[in-house]
Amino acid sequence: MNRRLPLVILSVAALVALPSTAASATGGGHHGSGKPGYSTGYDKPKPGKPKPAPQPTAAPGDLCGGTRADQVIPWDAYTCDQATGYFLYKKLDVRKPAGYWNSGRQHRVALHDVWAWPTADASARIEASKAQPRNPQIIPLELDATDAAAVCAERELYGLQVDLVGDGEAGRGLDVASLVPTVITPPHNQGGFPVPNTLAFYAHFEVRDIVDLDVFCAPVVVPTPSASPTPPPPPPPAPAPSPSPTSDVDDEPTVAPSPTPEPSPSETSEVLPAPAETPEPTPTATSAVTPAPTTPAPTPTERAEVLSAVDDDTLAATGTQAAVGLLAAIAAIAGGGALVLARRRHRMNG
C-alpha cells in the first residue's frame, strides 16, 4: 500500500503539469499571449475543479462563428467585427531589427475596420504570430507631417507594430474598434490588450522595408507657374477721314474782325489836311459879316412863360396854338442863320 502511494501522487502531478506545459509550447507571441486568440489574464479552468455550468445557447447571429455562448472562437472561423491598428515606434537599438522587445513607446497612426497588413510581402513581417489571417487586405502605411519628418530624419530607427483584433468569445458582443489602444508602452504591455480573446494576429515591420523612403522623403517640388500669355497688341487705330473742302470751311473758327481803332486827337490832326488860308477880312467886311449872335433855344419853362405872356387866353384854350407859335419862332431863327451863311459864302467867292 505504501509502495503505491508515491506512484499515485506522481501520476496526479503529471496530469496537473501537462496542460500548462502544452500551453507554453504553443506560445511565442508578444503581448503575453500563449497562442493566437488568447491574451494575458485568461483564466483557464484547472483540473480537479468542477466545470462551470453550461450557459444558454445564444442566437446564431450573435455567436460570431461559435456554436454556443462564451465559446472561444477559432480565429479562422471568426465572423464578427474586425479591426487593425498600426503603431509606430522608435527602436531601442538601431542596430537590431524591429520587435516588441526592441520597441520604445508606441502610438497609433492608423485604425482600420478590417484585418490588414501594410504590405503583401510576407518576408517583411518580423516577430509575427504563427497563425495568419486568410484573406487580409493590403493597406499601405500613411503618416502625417510630424511622423513623416521624424522617420525621414532617422530612416533606420523606426519600426511598425500591426495588431489584428476581434471579439473571440461567442455572444460577448464587444465593440471591437474600441479594443484597439492608442498607446502601448513595452515591455509590460501597458495600454495593450487586457481583455482575453481579442488579439487575433500581429507582426512587426521595419518602416524602411514597407515604405519607399527615397520617394516618401523627397522634397515636394512646387510647380513653377507658367508665364502668363502676352496679350495681343491692340489693333491699329482707324485712319481719320479726309476732310472735304466744305468741312474745311465749316470747321475753321470764325475770326471776329478787329475793331478799327479810332484815331487819337493827335493822329487826326496829323491826317487832316491843313485848312486853306482864309484872307483876313477888312474891318468893314468883318463888321459886315459878323454873324448875329445865336440866340439859345429857350427852355421849356421859358417857352411856356413867353407863350403865356403872348396870349394867356389862347394857351389856356388850346395847346395846339402854343406849339404852332413855338415852331414859327424856331423857323425864324434857323432862317436867319442860313441867310448869314449865304452872305459869307457870297463874299468869299466874290
Side-chain angles (χ1 to χ4, degrees), residues 317-342:
T318 175
T320 305
Q321 293 178 358
V324 170
L326 180 60
L327 292 175
I330 294 172
I333 294 171
L339 180 61
V340 172
L341 291 175

Side-chain angles (χ1 to χ4, degrees), residues 13-27 34 44 47:
L15 291 175
V16 173
L18 182 60
S20 60
T21 304
S24 61
T26 58
K44 298 179 182 179

Side-chain angles (χ1 to χ4, degrees), residues 112-176:
H112 306 295
D113 59 359
V114 295
W115 285 343
W117 295 125
T119 178
D121 184 6
S123 64
R125 294 195 290 265
I126 307 170
E127 195 184 318
S129 58
K130 294 181 179 180
Q132 295 295 316
R134 290 182 178 179
N135 298 306
Q137 296 191 29
I138 305 303
I139 303 178
L141 172 65
E142 295 183 0
L143 300 175
D144 62 18
T146 302
D147 290 328
V151 170
C152 292
E154 300 176 286
R155 300 188 180 190
E156 304 293 325
L157 195 56
Y158 282 86
L160 185 75
Q161 176 176 299
V162 179
D163 289 335
L164 286 62
V165 182
D167 182 4
E169 289 189 15
R172 186 163 51 172
L174 300 177
D175 181 6
V176 173

Side-chain angles (χ1 to χ4, degrees), residues 180-194:
V180 182
T182 57
V183 175
I184 298 175
T185 306
H188 303 295
N189 194 30
Q190 296 178 8
F193 297 85

Side-chain angles (χ1 to χ4, degrees), residues 3-348:
R3 295 178 181 178
R4 294 180 180 179
L5 183 59
L7 181 60
V8 173
I9 295 174
L10 181 61
S11 299
V12 172
L15 291 175
V16 173
L18 182 60
S20 60
T21 304
S24 61
T26 58
H30 71 316
H31 300 317
S33 61
K35 61 180 180 179
Y38 288 83
S39 302
T40 302
Y42 181 69
D43 187 15
K44 298 179 182 179
K46 296 182 179 180
K49 288 187 177 182
K51 295 182 180 180
Q55 299 294 324
T57 304
D62 298 332
L63 296 179
C64 299
T67 59
R68 57 182 178 81
D70 296 333
Q71 177 189 8
V72 176
I73 307 169
W75 291 117
D76 57 358
Y78 177 73
T79 59
C80 281
D81 293 341
Q82 302 173 349
T84 299
Y86 288 5
F87 299 87
L88 183 71
Y89 62 88
K90 185 182 289 188
K91 296 188 296 184
L92 301 178
D93 190 342
V94 67
R95 299 168 298 179
K96 296 180 180 180
Y100 191 76
W101 56 272
N102 193 26
S103 170
R105 183 177 181 273
Q106 305 177 3
H107 67 279
R108 192 177 72 194
V109 295
L111 176 62
H112 306 295
D113 59 359
V114 295
W115 285 343
W117 295 125
T119 178
D121 184 6
S123 64
R125 294 195 290 265
I126 307 170
E127 195 184 318
S129 58
K130 294 181 179 180
Q132 295 295 316
R134 290 182 178 179
N135 298 306
Q137 296 191 29
I138 305 303
I139 303 178
L141 172 65
E142 295 183 0
L143 300 175
D144 62 18
T146 302
D147 290 328
V151 170
C152 292
E154 300 176 286
R155 300 188 180 190
E156 304 293 325
L157 195 56
Y158 282 86
L160 185 75
Q161 176 176 299
V162 179
D163 289 335
L164 286 62
V165 182
D167 182 4
E169 289 189 15
R172 186 163 51 172
L174 300 177
D175 181 6
V176 173
S178 67
L179 299 174
V180 182
T182 57
V183 175
I184 298 175
T185 306
H188 303 295
N189 194 30
Q190 296 178 8
F193 297 85
V195 180
N197 301 316
T198 53
L199 180 61
F201 311 99
Y202 54 87
H204 287 256
F205 300 84
E206 295 281 354
V207 172
R208 66 173 183 268
D209 292 340
I210 58 175
V211 176
D212 187 348
L213 294 180
D214 291 335
V215 176
F216 184 78
C217 299
V220 178
V221 178
V222 179
T224 303
S226 59
S228 57
T230 304
S242 301
S244 61
T246 304
S247 62
D248 285 344
V249 173
D250 294 340
D251 292 342
E252 288 183 358
T254 303
V255 180
S258 302
T260 304
E262 294 182 0
S264 62
S266 59
E267 292 175 350
T268 306
S269 61
E270 293 176 359
V271 173
L272 293 177
E277 292 183 1
T278 304
E280 249 179 3
T282 61
T284 304
T286 305
S287 59
V289 298
T290 301
T294 303
T295 304
T299 63
T301 305
E302 292 173 347
R303 289 196 302 269
E305 292 176 353
V306 172
L307 293 176
S308 178
V310 173
D311 194 355
D312 291 336
D313 297 335
T314 304
L315 290 174
T318 175
T320 305
Q321 293 178 358
V324 170
L326 180 60
L327 292 175
I330 294 172
I333 294 171
L339 180 61
V340 172
L341 291 175
R343 288 179 178 178
R344 181 182 295 180
R345 288 179 181 175
H346 176 72
R347 288 181 179 180
M348 290 176 63

